[in-house]
Amino acid sequence: DAKTTQPPSMDCAEGRAANLPCNHSTISGNEYVYWYRQIHSQGPQYIIHGLKNNETNEMASLIITEDRKSSTLILPHATLRDTAVYYCIVRALDSNYQLIWGAGTKLIIKP
Amino acid sequence: DAGVIQSPRHEVTEMGQEVTLRCKPISGHNSLFWYRQTMMRGLELLIYFNNNVPIDDSGMPEDRFSAKMPNASFSTLKIQPSEPRDSAVYFCASTDRGSSYEQYFGPGTRLTVT
């Protein structure tokens, strides 16, 4: 699976949009971009995933660049409960279910 | 649905003792994963099962660790004998092969070996 690069930490003001970048310059054509988050003392939680089109769900939006070498997770109106470590993972949809977890980005939402 | 259920939530044991962690996946999910998380090493996959069959146990640290899935609704991770370096949070996750590979995680078991 392709490796990802994320900033170790970010701050965002409550109520503002939080934009979390992820670099995956070696991504292959059949690899998807997944985002998970882990709130303190909880298990990781799936947020969203995409291949090449931008995606949106009730939690967030995922913007993938046209060359697919980077992506941005957008939390449109961040709340204090969005403080968590956010993981960007790329992997292909094959018979191997493994997710390779990096260090993620620690997002702190400030009041 | 109650989600993935893990027990116990916390376990404190002495070095050398046997520890058994339990997991009940989401009903209907046919893949189950055991992870370990520490500050030093982050989140590591230990083993995963498809349809109750272990597929890849290359992440299991050593022979002291073993995992079983006797049926679709139950799995155990056993450490025997336990050592202080096994102290970590152990997560169980499950997924539906028909889904888009979303893994649903349990709340974890915090293991402390003294």
Side-chain angles (χ1 to χ4, degrees):
Chain A
D1 292 334
K3 292 184 178 178
T4 62
T5 304
Q6 298 178 254
S9 65
M10 291 181 63
D11 291 346
C12 180
E14 187 179 19
R16 304 297 293 270
N19 297 280
L20 293 96
C22 180
N23 219 314
H24 31 80
S25 58
T26 60
I27 193 170
S28 301
N30 65 340
E31 288 182 317
Y32 285 69
V33 180
Y34 284 79
W35 283 85
Y36 282 74
R37 74 179 182 184
Q38 186 173 21
I39 295 170
H40 182 61
S41 296
Q42 297 183 20
Q45 176 191 23
Y46 166 83
I47 301 173
I48 199 168
H49 78 283
L51 182 61
K52 52 184 178 181
N53 297 324
N54 298 337
E55 303 287 345
T56 295
N57 62 21
E58 65 279 3
M59 289 183 68
S61 294
L62 174 60
I63 308 298
I64 303 174
T65 58
E66 192 168 343
D67 64 7
R68 303 209 323 122
K69 293 184 177 182
S70 65
S71 61
T72 301
L73 179 75
I74 301 173
L75 308 178
H77 303 289
T79 70
L80 298 179
R81 289 176 295 179
D82 292 321
T83 292
V85 177
Y86 287 76
Y87 297 95
C88 170
I89 301 167
V90 295
R91 65 174 306 283
L93 284 183
D94 55 18
S95 59
N96 184 334
Y97 288 82
Q98 291 199 46
L99 297 175
I100 308 300
W101 300 80
T105 295
K106 171 68 173 177
L107 175 67
I108 298 173
I109 306 300
K110 298 188 171 182
Chain B
D1 197 319
V4 176
I5 299 172
Q6 291 187 246
S7 64
R9 294 294 309 277
H10 301 274
E11 177 80 34
V12 180
T13 191
E14 292 183 348
M15 182 175 62
Q17 297 297 307
E18 177 181 296
V19 175
T20 299
L21 311 181
R22 297 173 175 79
C23 175
K24 177 179 169 55
I26 292 173
S27 178
H29 283 190
N30 53 14
S31 294
L32 182 140
F33 308 80
W34 281 102
Y35 289 90
R36 177 173 68 177
Q37 187 172 39
T38 61
M39 289 293 293
M40 290 295 294
R41 301 175 66 90
L43 198 61
E44 303 174 281
L45 178 66
L46 300 177
I47 186 171
Y48 76 95
F49 296 82
N50 278 354
N51 296 319
N52 313 337
V53 176
I55 301 301
D56 186 351
D57 64 355
S58 60
M60 297 285 262
E62 48 197 90
D63 292 345
R64 297 185 297 106
F65 285 68
S66 62
K68 294 182 179 180
M69 193 164 185
N71 57 62
S73 60
F74 184 66
S75 177
T76 59
L77 178 68
K78 184 178 294 186
I79 308 172
Q80 165 65 20
S82 58
E83 297 182 1
R85 59 190 169 127
D86 301 330
S87 297
V89 181
Y90 291 81
F91 289 104
C92 174
S94 69
T95 191
D96 175 3
R97 188 182 180 89
S99 76
S100 53
Y101 289 60
E102 300 173 31
Q103 291 188 15
Y104 294 84
F105 283 75
T109 295
R110 181 173 296 277
L111 173 65
T112 302
V113 183
T114 60

